[in-house]
Amino acid sequence: MYCSSCGIEVTQELNYCNRCGTNLNPTPNLVPQMPAPPVKLTGPTVALGATVVMSLVVIFTGAENLASRGIDAVALSWMIIISLAMIFGVVGLFIRLWLRLLTNSSSNIEAQRPYQLKKPQPNAQIPAPQTGPMNAPISSVTDHTTRTFEPVYRERGK
């Protein structure tokens, strides 16, 4: 049998790989995933429509007041154009966001299948890696840990 992470050959009785420490007997995911409810955008759409209508009223009322005070027509028209561009730019960004929400929620619903538990296959056979021979053997995780603790237990004076 081979490790699913590093590809080294390990015995059947091991629970963890000697080389990389990967769990060779993973536990199955027992938590069922609930499908996300579909996204409803009627409330935000009504709110955005009301905001656009109110902002248009404010822009044209303000432009009328500025025109009555004698503001130059070219400056006033540029203020209106820039204000309208900002409003419709923000509306376009909201529409883009909502389309992404709708496409993500619909693709998630279509991609979900009825929940089924898969039985784990303990110590599943994985083909040997096609990397070629290694030059030097790599020590196991426990060997490395043991070697790092050796200096602590040495007696002083020897």
Side-chain angles (χ1 to χ4, degrees):
M1 168 176 116
Y2 297 96
C3 174
S4 61
S5 179
C6 65
I8 194 169
E9 188 173 3
V10 292
T11 61
Q12 292 277 357
E13 296 83 26
L14 290 178
N15 290 329
Y16 296 95
C17 176
N18 285 337
R19 181 177 179 196
C20 65
T22 301
N23 186 1
L24 299 174
N25 297 321
T27 58
N29 186 7
L30 299 177
V31 178
Q33 295 185 1
M34 301 299 292
V39 178
K40 296 180 182 178
L41 297 176
T42 54
T45 305
V46 170
L48 185 64
T51 304
V52 168
V53 169
M54 288 177 29
S55 61
L56 289 175
V57 168
V58 167
I59 288 172
F60 288 115
T61 305
E64 183 181 340
N65 287 339
L66 289 174
S68 65
R69 293 186 183 189
I71 299 293
D72 186 33
V74 175
L76 189 61
S77 63
W78 275 110
M79 284 185 223
I80 293 172
I81 291 171
I82 291 172
S83 301
L84 290 174
M86 287 174 43
I87 289 172
F88 291 117
V90 169
V91 168
L93 288 175
F94 273 109
I95 291 173
R96 180 179 171 202
L97 172 72
W98 292 340
L99 286 176
R100 283 188 179 178
L101 285 174
L102 288 174
T103 56
N104 285 344
S105 67
S106 65
S107 65
N108 286 344
I109 291 172
E110 292 171 2
Q112 290 176 350
R113 295 185 178 134
Y115 179 71
Q116 297 175 352
L117 276 177
K118 293 181 180 178
K119 292 184 178 179
Q121 298 177 354
N123 297 334
Q125 295 293 327
I126 298 175
Q130 303 294 325
T131 58
M134 289 196 250
N135 293 337
I138 298 175
S139 62
S140 71
V141 176
T142 54
D143 288 341
H144 177 69
T145 306
T146 307
R147 271 190 249 124
T148 56
F149 286 132
E150 283 179 4
V152 175
Y153 296 111
R154 290 185 187 160
E155 293 180 22
R156 294 184 188 196
K158 282 190 175 183

